[in-house]
Amino acid sequence: MSVLTESSAWKALEAQRKSLARVALTELFTQDPQRFPRLTIEAAGLMLDYSKNRVTGRTLSLLIELAGDADVEGWIARLFAGERVNTSEGRAALHLALRAPADRPMMVGGQNVMPAVEAERQRIGEFARAVRNGSSAGFDGRRILDVVVIGIGGSYLGPALGVDALEDGKGPRIHFVANIDGGEIVGALAGLEPATTLFIVISKTFTTTETTTNAETAREWFMAKGGPADALARHFIAVSANREAVAKFGLDPDRGFAFWDWVGGRYSLWSAVGLPIALAAGPEAFGELLGGAAEMDAHVRAAPPARNMAVLFALMGIWNRNFLGCGALAIVPYDRRLALLTPFLQQLEMESNGKRVTREGEAVDYPTVPVIWGGVGTNVQHAFFQALHQGPDIMPVDFLVARHGAGDAGHHRQLLANCLAQSEALMRGRDAAAAEAELIGRGIAAGEARRLAPHLVCPGGRPSNTILFERLDARTLGALLALYEHKVFVQGAIWRIDSFDQWGVELGKRLAGTILGELAGGAGAEHDASTAGLIARVRRD
Ligand code: F6P
């Protein structure tokens, strides 16, 4: 047994689960007419409705107690104070500084990092403005029309999401190349001209093979298509925390952009890693994105747990995962511009909290991160929602929707109606009697209606959160992503894990290096029979 599962709050929550198991979610609303106002919270332009979770006031108090036992408030304070919350790597995780006001000192290792952060912010703005207005042009004086961004993981997902969500059509076209699959860079470069193309190579370490290989291919393409060697520095910009590796690759770190080892890859879009967003949406929008995140930070830092949106959001996840046994969480934004939110959150949540030992290295005896999956509504209603409504597993959903859309008001009303209807349907369900009556209402004979009714039954009682906001703009997106970052951190604190390392991804990378050598004709290494067999089959002429 661990400190967590031994705690009195944990045990009382186990008992709560049993006593709530047979209560219909709808019944909780009947019992408490104030449930909606009580179980909703607003901050930084977002409204979180968590009332469609199987919780009572007592459950909430116990969950808050659980957060108290884990010293969540203390961990939030340590995060903001720049302490080494990434314990296994001995680092701070101060991405919050990247969006903080310049005049408010943020300390890492006794040093105020804000002057360096602000200087880089200014450079990002100037560079983006110059490319967008054409004053920073290609080697033959023509305007930059295309930007190819090369990076993977946190050096891709955040910028790609931001560009998709916020681009205003007044900047260059942005193309992303992440995968080592050669088709990706070939596709991105098709039809481009070196003189009007800018390459931004983003990598915290600058040692990620996908990124360095793609950057090398891009450089070869540039030269092969007639780009002069002395224009390389103008057309290739690095964004990295590793100056030496940038220089070794042959790029000038001083012409590129810096960020710091206290910024985790999946938390880096707020730094120069977000440069593609500034190019696509404008530096002002990038500033708004940071401002929205800073507003959420201020709320999370100051609000007590019971009135703290990130803590409450995290606790709903803990309840569903650890007590109701839900192994998956679907993310369903009703906005096509948020199509990349799910992959972004997959990395944020699963790379951060996909851990099986505590900060002290003890095996946990409780599940940690659920599978994060999802897709854009309404499309996914016609794909996987069937399983959400009638499948054997209960999979909670985060619904996200704006009151006002970007396009036609009539379309948006339909989008909203669908979003709100889905969470209602998941919660209310449809019993056999209602199903039968519905069939009879459609003119189906009573016997046939009885036979078909079980197929129409939706058990209901399926939990969801809804995040509602005015409109999807830069400020809202900033607040939204910051909310999820804080939620992940709070859950990590309760699970007593290090949310900022990612040792698990390294083993596969190392083995790929060994196998790469073998596929290129090198000596065989020791493998299991399956892997050895596959290598031999691939090598067979
Ligand atoms: O997959 C592991 C990882 O280290 C991620 O955490 C990171 O975002 C990604 O690779 C890319 O790393 P880098 O920015 O150093 O190229």
Side-chain angles (χ1 to χ4, degrees):
M1 297 286 272
S2 60
V3 184
L4 182 57
T5 54
E6 283 272 270
S7 69
S8 62
W10 183 281
K11 287 177 184 157
L13 282 162
E14 291 271 17
Q16 270 277 298
R17 170 177 60 87
K18 285 177 199 143
S19 71
L20 279 173
R22 279 179 302 278
V23 180
L25 252 178
T26 44
E27 182 55 29
L28 298 176
F29 281 87
T30 314
Q31 284 167 10
D32 178 7
Q34 291 304 306
R35 184 173 172 87
F36 177 75
R38 275 199 318 106
L39 303 191
T40 48
I41 179 167
E42 303 215 18
L46 307 181
M47 177 198 219
L48 169 66
D49 170 17
Y50 56 102
S51 64
K52 291 192 183 86
N53 283 284
R54 188 175 292 279
V55 290
T56 62
R58 168 92 180 125
T59 326
L60 280 170
S61 317
L62 289 167
L63 286 165
I64 298 283
E65 195 180 319
L66 203 68
D69 291 347
D71 190 24
V72 160
E73 281 183 280
W75 279 102
I76 290 174
R78 287 190 279 283
L79 178 76
F80 279 91
E83 287 186 29
R84 294 180 180 187
V85 290
N86 178 352
T87 47
S88 81
E89 295 180 310
R91 284 184 198 155
L94 204 55
H95 44 281
L96 314 155
L98 302 167
R99 57 224 193 187
D103 54 1
R104 182 169 188 164
M106 298 284 274
M107 312 297 283
V108 177
Q111 263 211 320
N112 179 14
V113 297
M114 288 316 295
V117 167
E118 182 54 21
E120 216 55 5
R121 274 202 295 234
Q122 293 298 333
R123 291 186 65 227
I124 294 166
E126 280 157 22
F127 184 80
R129 205 164 286 121
V131 172
R132 279 167 67 89
N133 68 22
S135 60
S136 176
F139 62 80
D140 67 359
R142 277 187 290 159
R143 180 186 275 267
I144 296 294
L145 300 176
D146 295 277
V147 175
V148 177
V149 182
I150 300 174
I152 197 163
S155 295
Y156 154 60
L157 291 161
L161 165 62
V163 167
D164 252 19
L166 304 175
E167 65 186 336
D168 64 0
K170 296 179 192 152
R173 288 180 292 262
I174 315 275
H175 315 262
F176 286 92
V177 177
N179 204 320
I180 193 66
D181 180 336
E184 196 153 298
I185 190 150
V186 169
L189 295 175
L192 304 193
E193 271 190 75
T196 55
T197 302
L198 173 72
F199 292 89
I200 304 179
V201 186
I202 307 179
S203 175
K204 180 177 175 185
T205 57
F206 231 80
T207 57
T208 304
T209 49
E210 288 94 332
T211 301
T212 51
T213 306
N214 280 325
E216 195 51 65
T217 303
R219 186 158 57 184
E220 282 162 14
W221 172 89
F222 184 83
M223 307 284 280
K225 290 274 179 183
D230 63 2
L232 274 170
R234 191 187 187 91
H235 283 261
F236 281 77
I237 300 292
V239 176
S240 182
N242 186 348
R243 288 177 61 87
E244 291 71 35
V246 170
K248 200 164 157 216
F249 187 81
L251 300 181
D252 181 357
D254 289 330
R255 294 187 74 118
F257 294 86
F259 62 111
W260 302 272
D261 78 336
W262 42 264
V263 180
R266 53 192 174 275
Y267 298 87
S268 64
L269 84 121
W270 319 102
S271 70
V273 171
L275 180 61
I277 306 173
L279 286 165
E284 293 75 20
F286 188 60
E288 284 293 302
L289 181 83
L290 304 187
E295 201 178 330
M296 181 56 73
D297 291 344
H299 162 75
V300 172
R301 191 178 197 176
R307 292 308 305 155
N308 190 311
M309 186 184 273
V311 174
L312 293 165
F313 196 25
L315 291 175
M316 292 306 104
I318 295 276
W319 172 246
N320 288 331
R321 179 69 176 125
N322 295 110
F323 298 94
L324 302 186
C326 303
L329 170 66
I331 309 292
V332 184
Y334 277 68
D335 194 316
R336 59 178 191 85
R337 293 169 296 170
L338 291 178
L340 293 178
L341 183 66
T342 303
F344 174 83
L345 292 180
Q346 274 173 338
Q347 188 198 21
L348 179 65
E349 299 229 13
M350 296 174 84
E351 198 166 75
S352 297
N353 284 345
K355 311 286 164 65
R356 53 173 289 286
V357 296
T358 63
R359 288 184 294 268
E360 289 73 35
E362 304 280 336
V364 299
D365 61 353
Y366 40 84
T368 59
V369 79
V371 172
I372 304 294
W373 66 302
V376 171
T378 59
N379 302 30
V380 294
Q381 291 177 197
H382 302 274
F384 61 70
F385 264 52
Q386 164 63 34
L388 293 183
H389 288 290
Q390 289 187 315
D393 294 312
I394 296 184
M395 295 179 272
V397 184
D398 285 354
F399 289 97
L400 299 101
V401 71
R403 287 184 65 217
H404 305 285
D408 179 82
H411 279 255
H412 193 69
R413 208 171 301 120
Q414 289 207 42
L415 198 66
L416 267 164
N418 272 278
C419 179
L420 303 185
Q422 289 299 327
S423 64
E424 184 178 30
L426 285 166
M427 177 178 76
R428 288 173 55 157
R430 174 171 52 196
D431 64 17
E436 229 177 290
E438 207 177 305
L439 287 163
I440 288 168
R442 284 190 221 164
I444 292 169
E448 182 64 356
R450 202 164 315 117
R451 188 184 72 78
L452 284 176
H455 298 279
L456 274 73
V457 169
C458 293
R462 303 200 161 192
S464 65
N465 296 299
T466 298
I467 300 177
L468 183 66
F469 39 90
E470 278 303 300
R471 46 178 48 83
L472 179 63
D473 55 19
R475 215 172 166 82
T476 306
L477 183 66
L480 186 64
L481 301 185
L483 170 67
Y484 273 97
E485 285 180 353
H486 288 298
K487 178 199 102 159
V488 164
F489 179 64
V490 170
Q491 291 186 334
I494 293 172
W495 287 325
R496 284 140 172 99
I497 57 180
D498 184 342
S499 298
F500 296 109
D501 61 14
Q502 59 283 319
W503 298 99
V505 298
E506 287 178 15
L507 177 61
K509 281 189 201 173
R510 190 160 55 69
L511 293 181
T514 309
I515 295 174
L516 181 63
E518 291 172 68
L519 294 182
E526 202 183 307
H527 294 288
D528 60 90
S530 163
T531 310
L534 289 166
I535 293 171
R537 183 70 181 77
V538 170
R539 287 181 60 169
R540 200 170 78 190
D541 288 329

PDB file of all heavy atoms in Angstrom, residues 152-155 203-206 208 211 265-266 347 351 502 505 509, ligand 1:
ATOM      1  N   ILE A 152       9.825  17.920 -34.042  1.00  0.00           N
ATOM      2  CA  ILE A 152       8.924  16.807 -33.701  1.00  0.00           C
ATOM      3  C   ILE A 152       8.564  16.872 -32.222  1.00  0.00           C
ATOM      4  O   ILE A 152       9.257  17.542 -31.438  1.00  0.00           O
ATOM      5  CB  ILE A 152       9.587  15.453 -34.102  1.00  0.00           C
ATOM      6  CG1 ILE A 152       8.546  14.312 -34.159  1.00  0.00           C
ATOM      7  CG2 ILE A 152      10.737  15.082 -33.168  1.00  0.00           C
ATOM      8  CD1 ILE A 152       9.031  13.086 -34.915  1.00  0.00           C
ATOM      9  N   GLY A 153       7.513  16.177 -31.827  1.00  0.00           N
ATOM     10  CA  GLY A 153       7.089  16.163 -30.417  1.00  0.00           C
ATOM     11  C   GLY A 153       6.707  17.564 -29.983  1.00  0.00           C
ATOM     12  O   GLY A 153       5.986  18.282 -30.678  1.00  0.00           O
ATOM     13  N   GLY A 154       7.236  17.990 -28.851  1.00  0.00           N
ATOM     14  CA  GLY A 154       6.932  19.323 -28.344  1.00  0.00           C
ATOM     15  C   GLY A 154       7.446  20.424 -29.252  1.00  0.00           C
ATOM     16  O   GLY A 154       6.985  21.563 -29.176  1.00  0.00           O
ATOM     17  N   SER A 155       8.382  20.097 -30.116  1.00  0.00           N
ATOM     18  CA  SER A 155       8.908  21.090 -31.051  1.00  0.00           C
ATOM     19  C   SER A 155       8.083  21.132 -32.335  1.00  0.00           C
ATOM     20  O   SER A 155       8.504  21.721 -33.329  1.00  0.00           O
ATOM     21  CB  SER A 155      10.374  20.766 -31.370  1.00  0.00           C
ATOM     22  OG  SER A 155      11.143  20.900 -30.205  1.00  0.00           O
ATOM     23  N   SER A 203      14.391  22.396 -32.248  1.00  0.00           N
ATOM     24  CA  SER A 203      14.729  21.220 -31.440  1.00  0.00           C
ATOM     25  C   SER A 203      15.411  21.687 -30.165  1.00  0.00           C
ATOM     26  O   SER A 203      16.430  22.382 -30.228  1.00  0.00           O
ATOM     27  CB  SER A 203      15.669  20.291 -32.219  1.00  0.00           C
ATOM     28  OG  SER A 203      16.086  19.226 -31.400  1.00  0.00           O
ATOM     29  N   LYS A 204      14.843  21.322 -29.038  1.00  0.00           N
ATOM     30  CA  LYS A 204      15.453  21.736 -27.770  1.00  0.00           C
ATOM     31  C   LYS A 204      16.883  21.210 -27.689  1.00  0.00           C
ATOM     32  O   LYS A 204      17.811  21.939 -27.382  1.00  0.00           O
ATOM     33  CB  LYS A 204      14.612  21.227 -26.597  1.00  0.00           C
ATOM     34  CG  LYS A 204      15.184  21.620 -25.255  1.00  0.00           C
ATOM     35  CD  LYS A 204      14.309  21.175 -24.116  1.00  0.00           C
ATOM     36  CE  LYS A 204      15.018  21.488 -22.793  1.00  0.00           C
ATOM     37  NZ  LYS A 204      14.302  20.994 -21.633  1.00  0.00           N
ATOM     38  N   THR A 205      17.057  19.932 -27.979  1.00  0.00           N
ATOM     39  CA  THR A 205      18.375  19.302 -27.840  1.00  0.00           C
ATOM     40  C   THR A 205      19.239  19.454 -29.082  1.00  0.00           C
ATOM     41  O   THR A 205      20.451  19.378 -29.009  1.00  0.00           O
ATOM     42  CB  THR A 205      18.189  17.797 -27.597  1.00  0.00           C
ATOM     43  OG1 THR A 205      17.427  17.263 -28.705  1.00  0.00           O
ATOM     44  CG2 THR A 205      17.461  17.518 -26.292  1.00  0.00           C
ATOM     45  N   PHE A 206      18.611  19.605 -30.211  1.00  0.00           N
ATOM     46  CA  PHE A 206      19.248  19.601 -31.533  1.00  0.00           C
ATOM     47  C   PHE A 206      20.005  18.296 -31.791  1.00  0.00           C
ATOM     48  O   PHE A 206      20.986  18.255 -32.532  1.00  0.00           O
ATOM     49  CB  PHE A 206      20.155  20.820 -31.757  1.00  0.00           C
ATOM     50  CG  PHE A 206      19.831  21.521 -33.043  1.00  0.00           C
ATOM     51  CD1 PHE A 206      18.757  22.382 -33.132  1.00  0.00           C
ATOM     52  CD2 PHE A 206      20.583  21.285 -34.203  1.00  0.00           C
ATOM     53  CE1 PHE A 206      18.413  22.999 -34.337  1.00  0.00           C
ATOM     54  CE2 PHE A 206      20.249  21.899 -35.411  1.00  0.00           C
ATOM     55  CZ  PHE A 206      19.160  22.763 -35.471  1.00  0.00           C
ATOM     56  N   THR A 208      17.830  15.366 -31.986  1.00  0.00           N
ATOM     57  CA  THR A 208      16.735  14.461 -32.354  1.00  0.00           C
ATOM     58  C   THR A 208      16.895  14.051 -33.823  1.00  0.00           C
ATOM     59  O   THR A 208      16.916  14.919 -34.709  1.00  0.00           O
ATOM     60  CB  THR A 208      15.381  15.169 -32.120  1.00  0.00           C
ATOM     61  OG1 THR A 208      15.346  15.585 -30.753  1.00  0.00           O
ATOM     62  CG2 THR A 208      14.203  14.257 -32.400  1.00  0.00           C
ATOM     63  N   THR A 211      14.629  15.261 -36.675  1.00  0.00           N
ATOM     64  CA  THR A 211      14.760  16.685 -36.998  1.00  0.00           C
ATOM     65  C   THR A 211      16.067  16.980 -37.726  1.00  0.00           C
ATOM     66  O   THR A 211      16.070  17.696 -38.740  1.00  0.00           O
ATOM     67  CB  THR A 211      14.645  17.512 -35.693  1.00  0.00           C
ATOM     68  OG1 THR A 211      13.369  17.220 -35.128  1.00  0.00           O
ATOM     69  CG2 THR A 211      14.768  18.998 -35.947  1.00  0.00           C
ATOM     70  N   GLY A 265      10.154  20.268 -23.379  1.00  0.00           N
ATOM     71  CA  GLY A 265       9.767  20.276 -24.793  1.00  0.00           C
ATOM     72  C   GLY A 265       8.268  20.444 -24.998  1.00  0.00           C
ATOM     73  O   GLY A 265       7.817  21.263 -25.801  1.00  0.00           O
ATOM     74  N   ARG A 266       7.470  19.676 -24.246  1.00  0.00           N
ATOM     75  CA  ARG A 266       6.015  19.735 -24.456  1.00  0.00           C
ATOM     76  C   ARG A 266       5.380  20.969 -23.809  1.00  0.00           C
ATOM     77  O   ARG A 266       4.165  21.147 -23.898  1.00  0.00           O
ATOM     78  CB  ARG A 266       5.369  18.443 -23.945  1.00  0.00           C
ATOM     79  CG  ARG A 266       5.709  18.069 -22.509  1.00  0.00           C
ATOM     80  CD  ARG A 266       5.283  16.643 -22.187  1.00  0.00           C
ATOM     81  NE  ARG A 266       5.731  16.211 -20.869  1.00  0.00           N
ATOM     82  CZ  ARG A 266       6.913  15.692 -20.605  1.00  0.00           C
ATOM     83  NH1 ARG A 266       7.800  15.524 -21.566  1.00  0.00           N
ATOM     84  NH2 ARG A 266       7.231  15.303 -19.379  1.00  0.00           N
ATOM     85  N   GLN A 347       0.462  14.234 -26.091  1.00  0.00           N
ATOM     86  CA  GLN A 347       1.841  14.359 -25.617  1.00  0.00           C
ATOM     87  C   GLN A 347       1.884  14.983 -24.225  1.00  0.00           C
ATOM     88  O   GLN A 347       2.556  14.491 -23.325  1.00  0.00           O
ATOM     89  CB  GLN A 347       2.711  15.189 -26.573  1.00  0.00           C
ATOM     90  CG  GLN A 347       4.179  15.133 -26.131  1.00  0.00           C
ATOM     91  CD  GLN A 347       5.075  16.217 -26.697  1.00  0.00           C
ATOM     92  OE1 GLN A 347       4.612  17.260 -27.123  1.00  0.00           O
ATOM     93  NE2 GLN A 347       6.376  15.969 -26.672  1.00  0.00           N
ATOM     94  N   GLU A 351       2.943  11.947 -22.031  1.00  0.00           N
ATOM     95  CA  GLU A 351       4.389  12.004 -21.798  1.00  0.00           C
ATOM     96  C   GLU A 351       4.663  12.536 -20.387  1.00  0.00           C
ATOM     97  O   GLU A 351       5.657  12.159 -19.764  1.00  0.00           O
ATOM     98  CB  GLU A 351       5.076  12.879 -22.858  1.00  0.00           C
ATOM     99  CG  GLU A 351       6.580  12.638 -22.953  1.00  0.00           C
ATOM    100  CD  GLU A 351       7.213  13.223 -24.207  1.00  0.00           C
ATOM    101  OE1 GLU A 351       7.386  14.454 -24.260  1.00  0.00           O
ATOM    102  OE2 GLU A 351       7.561  12.465 -25.126  1.00  0.00           O
ATOM    103  N   GLN A 502      10.780  12.189 -19.178  1.00  0.00           N
ATOM    104  CA  GLN A 502      10.225  11.282 -20.203  1.00  0.00           C
ATOM    105  C   GLN A 502      11.240  10.202 -20.535  1.00  0.00           C
ATOM    106  O   GLN A 502      11.574   9.979 -21.690  1.00  0.00           O
ATOM    107  CB  GLN A 502       9.771  12.036 -21.475  1.00  0.00           C
ATOM    108  CG  GLN A 502      10.831  12.848 -22.211  1.00  0.00           C
ATOM    109  CD  GLN A 502      11.151  14.153 -21.561  1.00  0.00           C
ATOM    110  OE1 GLN A 502      10.275  14.855 -21.078  1.00  0.00           O
ATOM    111  NE2 GLN A 502      12.437  14.486 -21.499  1.00  0.00           N
ATOM    112  N   VAL A 505      10.852   7.240 -23.354  1.00  0.00           N
ATOM    113  CA  VAL A 505      10.976   7.303 -24.814  1.00  0.00           C
ATOM    114  C   VAL A 505      12.406   6.981 -25.273  1.00  0.00           C
ATOM    115  O   VAL A 505      12.651   6.812 -26.463  1.00  0.00           O
ATOM    116  CB  VAL A 505      10.545   8.677 -25.378  1.00  0.00           C
ATOM    117  CG1 VAL A 505       9.086   8.954 -25.075  1.00  0.00           C
ATOM    118  CG2 VAL A 505      11.418   9.792 -24.850  1.00  0.00           C
ATOM    119  N   LYS A 509      14.533   4.774 -28.748  1.00  0.00           N
ATOM    120  CA  LYS A 509      15.438   5.582 -29.586  1.00  0.00           C
ATOM    121  C   LYS A 509      16.794   4.891 -29.699  1.00  0.00           C
ATOM    122  O   LYS A 509      17.394   4.820 -30.761  1.00  0.00           O
ATOM    123  CB  LYS A 509      15.671   6.950 -28.947  1.00  0.00           C
ATOM    124  CG  LYS A 509      14.571   7.962 -29.146  1.00  0.00           C
ATOM    125  CD  LYS A 509      15.066   9.331 -28.654  1.00  0.00           C
ATOM    126  CE  LYS A 509      13.920  10.248 -28.340  1.00  0.00           C
ATOM    127  NZ  LYS A 509      14.305  11.500 -27.715  1.00  0.00           N
TER     128      LYS A 509
HETATM  129  O1  F6P B   1      10.013  12.129 -27.654  1.00  0.00           O
HETATM  130  C1  F6P B   1      10.770  12.681 -26.654  1.00  0.00           C
HETATM  131  C2  F6P B   1      11.075  14.122 -26.851  1.00  0.00           C
HETATM  132  O2  F6P B   1      12.195  14.377 -26.087  1.00  0.00           O
HETATM  133  C3  F6P B   1       9.933  15.066 -26.456  1.00  0.00           C
HETATM  134  O3  F6P B   1       9.814  15.239 -25.089  1.00  0.00           O
HETATM  135  C4  F6P B   1      10.326  16.298 -27.197  1.00  0.00           C
HETATM  136  O4  F6P B   1       9.283  17.213 -27.257  1.00  0.00           O
HETATM  137  C5  F6P B   1      10.703  15.699 -28.537  1.00  0.00           C
HETATM  138  O5  F6P B   1      11.351  14.487 -28.198  1.00  0.00           O
HETATM  139  C6  F6P B   1      11.583  16.553 -29.404  1.00  0.00           C
HETATM  140  O6  F6P B   1      12.799  16.870 -28.771  1.00  0.00           O
HETATM  141  P1  F6P B   1      13.709  18.042 -29.285  1.00  0.00           P
HETATM  142  O7  F6P B   1      12.971  19.307 -29.164  1.00  0.00           O
HETATM  143  O8  F6P B   1      14.936  18.005 -28.416  1.00  0.00           O
HETATM  144  O9  F6P B   1      14.060  17.751 -30.730  1.00  0.00           O
END
